[in-house]
């Protein structure tokens, strides 16, 4: 009897492990489905009613993508259509096999002021709010799991949902006069695009409480001090700061895409999976690069050095 119980536990554990690993790495899978009361096509129809702005993607030969939040007349606030376009761009990036890095920025020297208030006012019921919450959590979780090393370039203001978006990136850079503010409490709500969960991981629960309550104002100097950002750039000029961000990102993406992408996937596993799952996934990812062109070339070069 005891043996059968142990076998059952082992089988359950193995099944659970593979299910979570599949959820993390199978392209196109979402956090929420109809079993959670989430009906994606219905949400898309509602969001389509709120036009304005665009999400633009430029893919460079260097393997760096530039994702621009483009709605400058509203400080790059997310309209419903922009939310839909963000998902489309994430899907495009999931399939960009030559990609290695990604910069997220806002048009006209400001990052984003969050959600467009026109959409917020029209989607006024708790059911509407939770539906948009699930849609954006799905999208930004897929964004966070992209096999690209990502950095948010914060110019000007990153407010509300804009501040939340920065936490979905691997790194954050700020220009000297820029600011990040989680203004949700002032709007009578809490972050709902996954920002709280990710912020706690980035700066810890105590600092997160201070930031979310509004007690801490994150200008570039203080954001650097508490570890919210990696670096404060020298220039506040829109084009010059983008050039600085590109140079900063290049230090992480030297090498072939398949190796950089495997590294990012492995880090995602270590963050999101249990130890056994993460180790198994690390093994599987190694199998995609061991004995590959980059590995064989590196071994050949090392052999020359040792002669």
């Amino acid at each position: 009897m005891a043996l059968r119980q142990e076998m059952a536990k082992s089988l359950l554990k193995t099944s659970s492990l593979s299910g979570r690993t599949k959820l993390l790495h199978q392209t196109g899978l979402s956090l929420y489905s109809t079993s959670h009361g989430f009906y994606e096509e219905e949400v898309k129809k509602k969001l389509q009613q709120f036009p304005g702005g665009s999400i633009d993607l430029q893919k460079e030969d260097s393997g760096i993508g530039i994702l621009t939040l483009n709605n400058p007349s509203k400080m790059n606030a997310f309209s419903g259509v922009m939310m839909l376009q963000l998902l489309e761009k994430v899907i495009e990036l999931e399939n960009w096999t030559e990609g290695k890095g990604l910069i997220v920025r806002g048009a006209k020297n400001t990052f984003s002021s969050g959600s467009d208030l026109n959409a917020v006012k029209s989607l006024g019921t708790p059911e509407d709010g939770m539906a948009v919450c699930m849609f954006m959590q799905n999208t930004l979780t897929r964004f966070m799991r992209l096999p690209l090393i990502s950095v948010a370039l914060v110019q000007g203001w990153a407010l509300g949902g804009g501040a939340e978006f920065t936490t979905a990136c691997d790194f954050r850079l700020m220009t000297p006069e820029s600011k990040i503010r989680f203004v949700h409490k002032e709007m009578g709500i809490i972050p709902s695009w996954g920002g709280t969960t990710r912020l706690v991981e980035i700066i810890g629960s105590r600092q997160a409480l201070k930031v979310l309550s509004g007690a801490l104002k994150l200008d570039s100097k203080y954001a650097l001090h508490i570890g919210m950002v990696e670096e404060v750039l020298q220039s506040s000029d829109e084009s010059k700061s983008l050039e600085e961000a590109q140079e900063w990102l290049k230090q992480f993406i030297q090498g072939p895409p398949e190796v950089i992408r495997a590294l990012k996937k492995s880090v995602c596993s270590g963050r999101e999976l249990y130890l056994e799952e993460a180790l198994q996934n690390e093994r599987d990812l190694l199998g995609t690069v061991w004995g590959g062109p980059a590995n064989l070339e590196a071994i050949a070069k090392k052999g020359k050095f040792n002669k």
Side-chain angles (χ1 to χ4, degrees):
M1 180 68 176
L3 179 60
R4 284 200 299 271
Q5 288 176 335
E6 288 300 315
M7 290 175 64
K9 288 180 182 178
S10 177
L11 181 61
L12 180 62
K13 185 176 181 181
T14 302
S15 173
S16 178
L17 294 180
S18 62
R20 280 192 294 270
T21 305
K22 186 183 295 184
L23 180 64
L24 177 60
H25 289 292
Q26 186 170 324
T27 301
L29 287 181
S30 297
L31 292 173
Y32 299 109
S33 64
T34 54
S35 64
H36 303 97
F38 177 63
Y39 300 90
E40 185 172 33
E41 292 308 312
E42 291 184 10
V43 179
K44 286 182 176 179
K45 288 179 182 178
K46 288 187 177 182
L47 293 176
Q48 194 69 48
Q49 299 172 23
F50 306 101
S54 63
I55 304 292
D56 304 327
L57 177 60
Q58 178 182 347
K59 292 183 282 191
E60 305 280 350
D61 292 338
S62 63
I64 293 178
I66 301 172
L67 189 75
T68 303
L69 315 178
N70 191 356
N71 193 9
S73 65
K74 295 188 176 181
M75 290 180 61
N76 300 323
F78 274 85
S79 66
V81 167
M82 287 174 68
M83 294 180 188
L84 296 175
Q85 289 182 1
L86 178 61
L87 176 58
E88 293 171 2
K89 299 305 181 186
V90 168
I91 293 170
E92 184 177 345
L93 288 166
E94 286 173 341
N95 294 287
W96 185 31
T97 55
E98 297 83 15
K100 299 187 286 184
L102 182 67
I103 297 171
V104 182
R105 63 190 285 267
K108 303 298 182 184
N109 218 25
T110 197
F111 191 79
S112 173
S113 58
S115 298
D116 184 348
L117 288 181
N118 288 332
V120 172
K121 290 175 183 176
S122 299
L123 299 169
T125 68
E127 291 76 17
D128 286 336
M130 290 178 66
V132 175
C133 162
M134 288 188 281
F135 182 86
M136 289 302 291
Q137 284 189 7
N138 276 348
T139 300
L140 289 180
T141 299
R142 287 175 69 169
F143 175 90
M144 184 176 65
R145 292 172 175 168
L146 285 171
L148 307 168
I149 298 176
S150 61
V151 58
L153 170 56
V154 182
Q155 302 161 299
W157 290 92
L159 303 175
E164 291 194 68
F165 196 171
T166 70
T167 67
C169 295
D170 299 312
F171 302 109
R172 284 147 296 282
L173 300 173
M174 294 178 74
T175 55
E177 287 81 29
S178 61
K179 293 178 174 60
I180 299 174
R181 284 199 62 202
F182 292 79
V183 296
H184 305 76
K185 190 188 77 168
E186 297 172 21
M187 301 297 295
I189 58 173
I190 63 172
S192 59
W193 296 359
T196 300
T197 302
R198 295 187 297 266
L199 186 66
V200 169
E201 181 181 354
I202 294 166
I203 61 173
S205 59
R206 292 174 62 224
Q207 295 285 29
L209 274 174
K210 295 175 185 177
V211 170
L212 295 173
S213 68
L216 284 185
K217 313 296 184 185
L218 289 180
D219 59 18
S220 59
K221 184 177 180 180
Y222 202 83
L224 181 65
H225 174 69
I226 66 171
M228 180 71 181
V229 301
E230 304 301 315
E231 191 172 311
V232 179
L233 301 178
Q234 293 183 0
S235 178
S236 293
D237 178 78
E238 184 175 11
S239 58
K240 288 182 180 178
S241 59
L242 178 58
E243 291 174 4
E244 282 189 67
Q246 288 174 302
E247 287 301 314
W248 186 89
L249 182 56
K250 284 179 182 177
Q251 66 184 308
F252 300 102
I253 61 167
Q254 294 178 5
E258 63 271 19
V259 176
I260 304 301
R261 294 164 69 83
L263 279 173
K264 172 64 185 289
K265 289 178 181 179
S266 185
V267 169
C268 285
S269 296
R271 178 180 59 216
E272 296 191 46
L273 301 178
Y274 295 143
L275 176 63
E276 299 96 321
E277 298 171 278
L279 291 172
Q280 290 168 15
N281 197 62
E282 186 175 297
R283 173 204 63 198
D284 295 341
L285 288 168
L286 176 66
T288 68
V289 292
W290 187 284
N295 179 226
L296 296 177
E297 183 180 349
I299 291 173
K301 288 181 178 178
K302 290 293 184 183
K304 293 178 182 177
F305 296 151
N306 291 334
K307 288 179 181 179

